[in-house]
Amino acid sequence: MRNSEAMALSAALLAVAGELTQRIHDGVAARGFGGLRPAHGFAFVRLAPDGATVTELASHLGVTKQAASQLVDEIVRKGFAERRPHPEDARARLIVLTERGWACARAAEEAAAEAVRPWAELLGEGEIRSLQGQLLRIAPGGPVRPTW
C-alpha cells in the first residue's frame, strides 16, 4: 500500500469513527440522557461489564488518575454511577453503573444500531458482517477510548 493510500484509509477510518461517536452521542441525548459528553460514553464502555476502579478507568481512557477521578465525580453526581466497596481490595472503590447508567448504556446501544443501519442499507448485510470481522481482526478488543 502506498503512503497516499494509507493516508486515505486512515482519514476514512477516522472520519467514520468521529461521525459514529457523534451520532451515538446525539442519539443518547435524543433519548433523554442530556448533560453527558462523548467521553462519558467511553467510560461507560469500561464500567458496563463489572465496574472498575478509578485506576482501571484511567488506563482504559488513557488519562491520569486525577482526570478519571474528576470524570467519575461527574457521572456519580449526575446519577449514572456509584462508588461501592471493592470486593477484593478494601482500600479501593469500585465504580459501577446505576440503573440510570444502565438505561443510558442501552440508549447508546440503540443509537449505535440506528447509526450503522444506513451502512447495512448501503453495503448489504454480508459486507457489513465481513467489515466487522475484518475490523475485529485488526483491533480485537483494545480499549475504546476518545481521541482527546
Side-chain angles (χ1 to χ4, degrees):
M1 178 174 274
R2 294 186 329 226
N3 287 351
S4 60
E5 293 171 325
M7 192 62 181
L9 175 60
S10 299
L13 287 169
L14 290 169
V16 168
E19 179 183 344
L20 182 59
T21 300
Q22 190 61 51
R23 292 196 61 204
I24 292 171
H25 177 71
D26 292 346
V28 167
R31 287 166 172 80
F33 297 97
L36 294 172
R37 295 175 284 127
H40 295 122
F42 288 100
F44 283 25
V45 168
R46 177 61 183 90
L47 298 177
D50 299 308
T53 65
V54 169
T55 301
E56 292 166 339
L57 186 59
S59 176
H60 172 80
L61 294 174
V63 299
T64 65
K65 284 177 29 177
Q66 181 181 7
S69 185
Q70 290 173 348
L71 188 141
V72 167
D73 287 346
E74 192 175 353
I75 62 175
V76 166
R77 187 175 58 254
K78 292 180 179 195
F80 292 101
E82 64 184 10
R83 293 177 178 90
R84 292 186 182 164
H86 196 288
E88 299 168 7
D89 183 351
R91 299 167 296 156
R93 304 286 287 168
L94 192 63
I95 314 306
V96 297
L97 295 179
T98 60
E99 186 53 44
R100 182 171 188 210
W102 282 108
C104 184
R106 288 188 296 273
E109 287 180 6
E110 292 169 5
E114 186 177 278
V116 300
R117 194 169 297 121
W119 301 357
E121 293 169 4
L122 178 67
L123 300 175
E125 289 294 327
E127 282 194 48
I128 287 295
R129 281 189 183 75
S130 176
L131 175 63
Q132 180 181 14
Q134 292 168 357
L135 290 172
L136 288 171
R137 284 177 49 208
I138 295 169
V144 178
R145 61 173 53 143
T147 55
W148 304 100

